[in-house]
Amino acid sequence: MSQPRLVQFRLTFQVLTPLHIGSGIRYHRDYDFRDEGGKAVRLVDVDRALELLPDQLIPRIADGRIAAALDPRTLEQATRAILPVYGTRAVGQDLLAFIRDGMGRAYLPGSTLKGAFRSALLDAFVQRNRDTVRGLVRAGEGSREQAARGVERRAFDVNIEHTVEGRDFPNRDVNRWLRLADAFPVGELKMVASEVQVRSVSSRGRQAIPVWVEAVSPGAQFVTTLAMAPAAWSPWKELDDDRKVLFGSNLLGVLQTWGAALREIELAHWRRLDPGVASNFEGKVPAGQTVFPVGFGTGWVAKTIGRHLRDDRDLMRQLLYRYRLSRSKSPDPANFPVGHRVVDGPGGWLPMGWVMVSGAEPVR
C-alpha cells in the first residue's frame, strides 16, 4: 500500500529589518577583519592570506594579527567581503558572524523558521485556552527551560491521555507533521556590519555595551520548502477537531495573527520609549501582511507565551522570582522586559530580524 504524499509549498521570505542568525563564530579586529575608516569592514580569508604571504614573513606575525599585517595587494587578494557599516561609533573589537553552510553561503536554518512556526502555533493554542494555560503555568516546576513543558504537552501532544509521561512526547509531538527546509537566498545578498544596542526603560538609564553583527540587509529574499503530513498521517487522526483546524488548514493564518500581535506590541513599546524607532518600524514592517521576527534580538515576548501572562500582575511577579528572569531586586511585572534590542541599518534604528512571507505556492 503506497504512503500518502506530503503536502508541499514553496515559501518566499523577504527581509524587512536587518537580520542576524549567529554561527557561533566571532571575527576579531585586525585578525579576521579590518575597519576601513569607519565606513566599511573588510573580511579577510585568513587561510588564503597565509597562502599568499612569503614563508619568511609568517613568523613575524607573532601576535596573529594577520589582517593588520597584510600589504594592500595581498589584502585585496585575500578579501572575502566588504561590508558597509551602520552604527554611531567605531566598529567594536568583535563582529558576530552570520551562519553559513559548507560552501560559505548565508542561509536561514529550517530549524529557526520552524521555531517561529511552533511559537505561533503555541500562541494560538494559549489564546484559546487562557485559563487552562495559566493554571499549568502556576503549577509549573523545574528549571527555567522546563517551565512551559506542561503547556507544550497540552498544546502539541496528539493525544495526551495515551502518552507515557517522560517517554513518548517527542514521538507524539504534532509538530513532527511540519517540516521546513533551510532557506537560501534569491540572487546575491547584501550583507552589512551593524551596531546592535539594548535600549532600556529602566529608571537607572544604563545601556548595555553595543554588539556588532554581520547582518542581512533589508530587501533580501530567501526561499524554502514547507512540507506537511497529510490528513491520513496516523497520529493526526488522534487530534481533536479544534486542533486539526488550528494546526492544519489555517497554518499561515495562525502565523499572520501571531506576527500581527507582536507587531502591535513592538509599536506600542517604541511609541512610549522612542517615537523615531516606532515610525521607522511602522514604515518598514507593513500591517496586514504575514510578518514576524526571527533570529538574534527578537526578544522574550516573541519566544515565549509571555504576552498572554503580563496582564496578570500576581502571576508575572511569581514567575519573575521563581525563574529569576530579572536582575532587579524588585522587578515590575508590568514593565518586563526592560531592555529591547535595536539595530542600525539603512534608514535608521529598527527592531531586529523582521521578515515577511511574500510568496506561498503549492509544489506539484
Side-chain angles (χ1 to χ4, degrees):
M1 181 177 177
S2 62
Q3 293 293 321
R5 296 180 61 185
L6 293 174
V7 179
Q8 298 187 71
F9 292 87
R10 183 177 184 268
L11 298 183
T12 303
F13 297 97
Q14 181 177 337
V15 177
L16 302 175
T17 71
L19 166 67
H20 174 77
I21 297 176
S23 65
I25 296 173
R26 288 175 179 262
Y27 299 134
H28 303 290
R29 175 193 284 272
D30 295 338
Y31 295 80
D32 306 291
F33 74 87
R34 280 171 62 158
D35 182 355
E36 304 271 290
K39 302 296 184 182
V41 162
R42 184 184 294 265
L43 298 181
V44 172
D45 184 334
V46 174
D47 292 333
R48 176 63 176 154
L50 291 173
E51 291 176 1
L52 295 169
L53 283 171
D55 292 342
Q56 63 270 25
L57 292 182
I58 294 177
R60 298 183 187 178
I61 313 175
D63 60 1
R65 294 158 61 92
I66 294 173
L70 300 178
D71 61 74
R73 181 171 177 274
T74 307
L75 179 62
E76 188 68 31
Q77 291 177 301
T79 294
R80 228 167 16 87
I82 299 176
L83 310 179
V85 167
Y86 293 91
T88 58
R89 65 200 79 201
V91 179
Q93 293 299 311
D94 294 329
L95 178 69
L96 304 185
F98 198 92
I99 192 168
R100 284 178 164 76
D101 68 2
M103 298 177 65
R105 298 176 298 178
Y107 71 103
L108 306 185
S111 57
T112 297
L113 296 171
K114 184 171 179 178
F117 275 74
R118 183 182 178 93
S119 294
L121 290 169
L122 184 60
D123 185 88
F125 176 83
V126 173
Q127 179 66 29
R128 295 190 181 197
N129 300 272
R130 290 170 67 89
D131 291 341
T132 298
V133 166
R134 290 188 180 198
L136 290 169
V137 171
R138 283 191 172 89
E141 297 179 355
S143 67
R144 183 188 307 181
E145 290 73 20
Q146 297 173 319
R149 182 172 55 183
V151 179
E152 288 190 296
R153 283 195 59 203
R154 188 64 61 91
F156 296 139
D157 196 317
V158 293
N159 190 333
I160 199 168
E161 301 299 329
H162 294 169
T163 297
V164 177
E165 173 69 28
R167 190 178 72 191
D168 287 349
F169 177 46
N171 296 322
R172 297 172 61 79
D173 185 335
V174 73
N175 282 282
R176 291 187 66 197
W177 120 101
L178 176 67
R179 304 176 190 175
L180 276 156
D182 294 337
F184 286 93
V186 178
E188 187 174 350
L189 282 181
K190 180 182 179 182
M191 307 294 292
V192 298
S194 286
E195 179 185 359
V196 178
Q197 296 181 357
V198 176
R199 304 277 179 86
S200 176
V201 297
S202 169
S203 58
R204 299 177 183 179
R206 295 188 301 180
Q207 302 296 326
I209 297 173
V211 176
W212 284 85
V213 301
E214 181 186 18
V216 175
S217 189
Q221 291 192 322
F222 290 81
V223 173
T224 186
T225 300
L226 166 69
M228 298 183 290
W233 182 49
S234 178
W236 185 260
K237 297 177 181 179
E238 296 185 53
L239 273 180
D240 54 86
D241 291 340
D242 188 51
R243 288 190 298 164
K244 282 181 181 177
V245 173
L246 186 63
F247 296 167
S249 59
N250 193 33
L251 178 61
L252 289 182
V254 167
L255 189 67
Q256 182 178 19
T257 300
W258 174 67
L262 296 182
R263 179 182 180 275
E264 289 306 309
I265 291 171
E266 198 75 49
L267 270 176
H269 172 82
W270 291 111
R271 282 170 179 157
R272 293 192 307 271
L273 186 65
D274 189 332
V277 172
S279 177
N280 198 17
F281 176 71
E282 191 169 19
K284 302 290 185 184
V285 181
Q289 301 295 318
T290 304
V291 297
F292 59 95
V294 292
F296 180 70
T298 51
W300 178 79
V301 174
K303 294 177 180 176
T304 70
I305 60 172
R307 79 179 186 93
H308 298 287
L309 307 176
R310 290 197 298 183
D311 59 343
D312 187 329
R313 297 284 187 93
D314 291 337
L315 176 57
M316 275 300 300
R317 187 175 290 108
Q318 179 183 352
L319 295 177
L320 289 171
Y321 280 107
R322 180 193 300 170
Y323 298 111
R324 298 183 179 181
L325 299 179
S326 174
R327 295 180 181 179
S328 172
K329 294 181 180 179
S330 55
D332 179 2
N335 195 28
F336 179 84
V338 297
H340 289 243
R341 283 193 177 100
V342 287
V343 61
D344 200 2
W349 294 97
L350 285 161
M352 297 183 69
W354 281 78
V355 300
M356 176 176 68
V357 179
S358 58
E361 304 170 357
V363 176
R364 305 297 181 187

